[in-house]
Amino acid sequence: MENEARTMHASTLEPMVRKLEYRQKLTKEDRDAILRLPHTVRRYEPHHYIVRDYDFTETSCVLLSGFAVRHKIVAGGQRQILAVHMHGEMVDLQNSMLGRADHSVQMLTTGTAALIPRQEIERIAFERPAVGKALWIDTLVEASISREWTANVGRRDARTRLAHLLCEFSLRLKVAGLGDQTNYELPMTQDQLADATGLTAVHVNRTLKGLETDGLIGRRHPRAIEIGDWRKLAKTGDFNSAYLHLQEDEPALQG
Amino acid sequence: MENEARTMHASTLEPMVRKLEYRQKLTKEDRDAILRLPHTVRRYEPHHYIVRDYDFTETSCVLLSGFAVRHKIVAGGQRQILAVHMHGEMVDLQNSMLGRADHSVQMLTTGTAALIPRQEIERIAFERPAVGKALWIDTLVEASISREWTANVGRRDARTRLAHLLCEFSLRLKVAGLGDQTNYELPMTQDQLADATGLTAVHVNRTLKGLETDGLIGRRHPRAIEIGDWRKLAKTGDFNSAYLHLQEDEPALQG
DNA sequence: CGGGAGGTTGACAATCGTCAATCAGAGTGG
DNA sequence: CCACTCTGATTGACGATTGTCAACCTCCCG
């Protein structure tokens, strides 16, 4: 059943450790302290809201499986997706540390998440500077991605925007250990892509088709993205991975 | 002369203390520790780059006076302004903590800034949890503003976008102690407004004129913004100050 | 008085949105 | 196995917000 807390193992938070370790060195003690964080695990269905705009939040949420988005609704009821989250990411550090949500977090697919009391996050952050720094850096990298998205919707045309998003997914899925850089499954509908890029679903459709026609991507079915020439797509998408702050030894960061 | 370090007083970093204290309680020791942070003060002219995209950064920068922006340049050479900074704000925590800049920071007006070694910021953050938390919260609030900007350029039309920006300035200038909520001087040209809203200068011009014609703003001269009916402008701009995470006792947060 | 930056305006073009119809595929029940 | 239904994808015709280009204006300052 949705929303039912389930028994947990000592290694449930392993994805969180993996994520934090990616950019910041942790000791065994740090890792164990993270794994020992009290938490409950819940399973969510697509479209389920983990947090709603204006909610008062007391817990932080780590996505263990599935995909989620953050979004805002503007006056006309239109939606802007602000970020897409995957395996191991803290989808709600932002809202929980500020006490009151300034945007919503919603599941894109089915998935599971671990809820950790905000106090515990704060405690571990200052008791263990390495963990604190890892959390801080994570926050900063997310902010960096957010800036790139602002530039993407603000100053790029539809084709460039979409190509950029496809490149970002490509790398992030790979780094998260969820797929192949040149061949992956989009976790979003064209409606959702539209909300992420500030376009309409109709225009997303046409633009994707254009990318396909021009041989920049292949699609065995609408969601199955296949990138033939990565550099070419990256160029079309004005994509430079620097803003993702990936490790320097990460292969294939062309663009 | 530009870029010349100057003698400093023990209270140079007062604006930084003021800013951090706004959302997080600090003890006298915390405040003193901040004021004692080693730093150099520099004066900058308009258009001067404090940090350039891709720079390796070793210092963090607190704006003591004047205005600065962060921005990115996209493929066609167009610019997207990501944030506007004023008195007391850390314009470069983002870049410095990540080591390599993922965007540029540029002065809008003349002004002064204090440069603090990154190591010192890190040290104080973990030696003094209250200061650390204040810095973290500051980072999070900035991220919140960045998200709102993404929604602004992604999903609002020109008139709404500009009205929103004018409302944001109005409140932020007031909170920073730099002006009247209903009567202030824009620190930006229409070109720069265009880069902040993802529009063109021509369209910004027309849209501002539209707001003026409709009585939503008055302009004694192009940069002198006068807001007759704040709530009406906020409504036009789909503006709700929640994302700024201002103190609850802050007056005049209608919208 | 000349030069320059910034602001204003008009004519026209184009990207992108709107509306609406149709299609394709997955799941369901008889 | 075959309607039936639902969601998501696709396509076409048309409209509108916004961009482009280019001229001109206004104020400030040396």
Coordinates of all heavy atoms in Angstrom, one line a residue, chain A residues 49 52-54 70-82 102-104 106 195, chain B residues 148 151 155-156 238 240:
Chain A
Y49 N 2.2 13.4 -4.1 CA 2.9 14.5 -3.6 C 3.6 14.2 -2.3 O 3.0 13.7 -1.3 CB 2.0 15.7 -3.3 CG 1.7 16.6 -4.5 CD1 0.6 16.2 -5.3 CD2 2.4 17.7 -4.8 CE1 0.3 17.0 -6.4 CE2 2.1 18.5 -5.9 CZ 1.1 18.1 -6.7 OH 0.8 18.9 -7.8
R52 N 3.9 19.4 -0.3 CA 3.2 20.4 -1.1 C 3.7 21.8 -0.7 O 4.0 22.1 0.4 CB 1.7 20.3 -0.8 CG 1.0 19.2 -1.6 CD -0.5 19.1 -1.2 NE -1.0 17.9 -1.7 CZ -1.5 17.8 -2.9 NH1 -1.6 18.8 -3.7 NH2 -2.0 16.6 -3.3
D53 N 3.7 22.7 -1.7 CA 4.0 24.1 -1.5 C 3.3 24.6 -0.3 O 2.1 24.3 -0.1 CB 3.5 24.9 -2.7 CG 4.3 26.2 -2.9 OD1 5.1 26.5 -2.1 OD2 4.1 26.8 -3.9
Y54 N 4.0 25.3 0.6 CA 3.4 25.9 1.8 C 3.3 25.0 3.0 O 3.0 25.4 4.1 CB 2.1 26.6 1.6 CG 2.1 27.7 0.6 CD1 1.5 27.5 -0.7 CD2 2.8 28.8 0.9 CE1 1.6 28.6 -1.6 CE2 2.9 29.9 -0.1 CZ 2.3 29.7 -1.3 OH 2.3 30.7 -2.2
R70 N 10.5 18.5 -8.5 CA 10.1 19.6 -7.7 C 9.4 20.5 -8.7 O 9.9 20.7 -9.8 CB 11.3 20.4 -7.2 CG 12.2 19.7 -6.3 CD 13.5 20.3 -6.5 NE 14.5 19.7 -5.6 CZ 14.8 20.1 -4.4 NH1 14.1 21.1 -3.9 NH2 15.7 19.5 -3.7
H71 N 8.4 21.2 -8.3 CA 7.7 22.1 -9.2 C 7.0 23.3 -8.5 O 6.8 23.2 -7.3 CB 6.8 21.4 -10.2 CG 5.5 21.0 -9.5 ND1 5.1 19.6 -9.4 CD2 4.5 21.7 -8.9 CE1 3.9 19.6 -8.8 NE2 3.5 20.8 -8.5
K72 N 6.7 24.3 -9.3 CA 5.9 25.4 -8.8 C 4.8 25.6 -9.8 O 4.9 25.4 -11.0 CB 6.8 26.7 -8.8 CG 7.7 26.8 -7.7 CD 8.3 28.2 -7.6 CE 9.3 28.3 -6.5 NZ 8.9 29.4 -5.6
I73 N 3.7 26.1 -9.2 CA 2.5 26.5 -10.1 C 2.4 28.0 -10.1 O 2.5 28.6 -9.1 CB 1.2 25.9 -9.4 CG1 1.3 24.4 -9.2 CG2 0.0 26.3 -10.3 CD1 1.4 23.6 -10.5
V74 N 2.3 28.6 -11.3 CA 2.1 30.0 -11.4 C 0.7 30.4 -11.6 O -0.2 29.5 -11.7 CB 3.0 30.6 -12.6 CG1 4.5 30.2 -12.4 CG2 2.5 30.1 -13.9
A75 N 0.5 31.7 -11.7 CA -0.9 32.2 -11.6 C -1.9 31.5 -12.6 O -3.0 31.1 -12.2 CB -0.9 33.7 -11.9
G76 N -1.6 31.3 -13.8 CA -2.5 30.8 -14.7 C -2.7 29.3 -14.5 O -3.5 28.7 -15.3
G77 N -2.1 28.7 -13.5 CA -2.2 27.3 -13.3 C -1.1 26.5 -14.0 O -1.1 25.3 -13.9
Q78 N -0.3 27.2 -14.8 CA 0.8 26.5 -15.5 C 1.8 26.0 -14.5 O 2.0 26.6 -13.4 CB 1.4 27.4 -16.5 CG 0.5 27.7 -17.7 CD 1.3 28.6 -18.6 OE1 1.9 28.1 -19.6 NE2 1.2 29.9 -18.4
R79 N 2.6 25.0 -14.9 CA 3.5 24.5 -14.0 C 4.9 24.6 -14.5 O 5.2 24.5 -15.7 CB 3.2 23.0 -13.8 CG 4.1 22.2 -12.9 CD 3.5 20.8 -12.6 NE 3.9 19.9 -13.6 CZ 4.2 18.6 -13.3 NH1 4.1 18.2 -12.0 NH2 4.6 17.8 -14.2
Q80 N 5.9 24.9 -13.6 CA 7.3 24.9 -14.0 C 8.0 23.8 -13.2 O 8.0 23.9 -11.9 CB 7.9 26.2 -13.8 CG 9.4 26.2 -14.1 CD 9.8 26.0 -15.5 OE1 9.2 26.6 -16.4 NE2 10.7 25.1 -15.8
I81 N 8.5 22.8 -13.8 CA 9.3 21.8 -13.1 C 10.7 22.4 -12.9 O 11.3 23.0 -13.8 CB 9.4 20.5 -13.9 CG1 8.0 19.8 -13.9 CG2 10.5 19.6 -13.3 CD1 8.0 18.5 -14.6
L82 N 11.2 22.3 -11.7 CA 12.4 23.0 -11.3 C 13.6 22.1 -11.2 O 14.8 22.5 -11.3 CB 12.3 23.6 -9.9 CG 11.0 24.5 -9.8 CD1 10.7 24.7 -8.3 CD2 11.3 25.9 -10.5
D102 N 8.6 26.0 -0.2 CA 8.4 27.1 -1.2 C 8.1 26.5 -2.6 O 8.0 27.2 -3.6 CB 9.5 28.1 -1.2 CG 10.8 27.4 -1.5 OD1 11.0 26.7 -2.5 OD2 11.8 27.6 -0.7
H103 N 7.9 25.1 -2.6 CA 7.6 24.5 -3.9 C 7.1 23.1 -3.5 O 7.3 22.6 -2.4 CB 8.8 24.4 -4.8 CG 9.9 23.7 -4.3 ND1 10.9 24.2 -3.4 CD2 10.3 22.4 -4.5 CE1 11.8 23.3 -3.1 NE2 11.5 22.2 -3.8
S104 N 6.6 22.3 -4.5 CA 6.1 21.0 -4.2 C 7.1 20.0 -4.7 O 7.9 20.2 -5.6 CB 4.8 20.8 -4.9 OG 3.8 21.7 -4.5
Q106 N 6.9 16.0 -6.1 CA 6.0 15.0 -6.6 C 6.6 13.9 -7.3 O 7.6 14.0 -8.0 CB 5.0 15.8 -7.6 CG 3.8 14.9 -8.0 CD 2.9 15.7 -9.0 OE1 3.4 16.6 -9.6 NE2 1.7 15.3 -9.0
D195 N 6.8 21.0 -19.1 CA 6.8 21.8 -17.9 C 8.3 22.0 -17.4 O 8.6 22.9 -16.6 CB 6.0 21.1 -16.8 CG 4.5 21.2 -17.0 OD1 4.1 22.1 -17.7 OD2 3.8 20.4 -16.5
Chain B
E148 N 12.4 30.4 -8.0 CA 11.4 31.3 -8.4 C 11.7 32.0 -9.7 O 10.9 32.2 -10.6 CB 11.2 32.4 -7.3 CG 10.0 33.3 -7.6 CD 8.6 32.7 -7.4 OE1 8.5 31.7 -6.7 OE2 7.7 33.1 -8.1
A151 N 10.9 29.7 -12.6 CA 9.5 29.7 -12.9 C 9.1 31.0 -13.6 O 8.3 31.0 -14.5 CB 8.7 29.5 -11.6
R155 N 7.6 30.3 -17.1 CA 6.2 30.2 -17.2 C 5.3 31.5 -17.1 O 4.1 31.4 -17.0 CB 5.7 29.2 -16.2 CG 5.9 27.7 -16.5 CD 5.2 27.3 -17.8 NE 5.2 25.9 -18.0 CZ 5.2 25.4 -19.3 NH1 5.1 26.2 -20.3 NH2 5.2 24.1 -19.5
R156 N 6.0 32.6 -17.1 CA 5.2 33.8 -17.0 C 5.4 34.7 -18.2 O 6.5 34.7 -18.8 CB 5.6 34.6 -15.7 CG 5.2 33.9 -14.4 CD 5.3 34.8 -13.2 NE 5.0 34.0 -12.0 CZ 5.8 33.7 -11.0 NH1 7.1 34.1 -11.1 NH2 5.4 33.1 -10.0
D238 N 2.0 38.1 -10.1 CA 1.9 36.8 -9.5 C 2.9 36.6 -8.4 O 3.6 35.6 -8.3 CB 2.1 35.7 -10.6 CG 1.8 34.3 -10.1 OD1 1.1 34.2 -9.1 OD2 2.4 33.4 -10.7
N240 N 4.3 36.4 -4.6 CA 4.0 36.0 -3.3 C 5.4 35.9 -2.6 O 6.2 35.1 -3.0 CB 3.3 34.6 -3.3 CG 3.0 34.1 -1.9 OD1 3.9 34.3 -1.0 ND2 1.9 33.5 -1.7

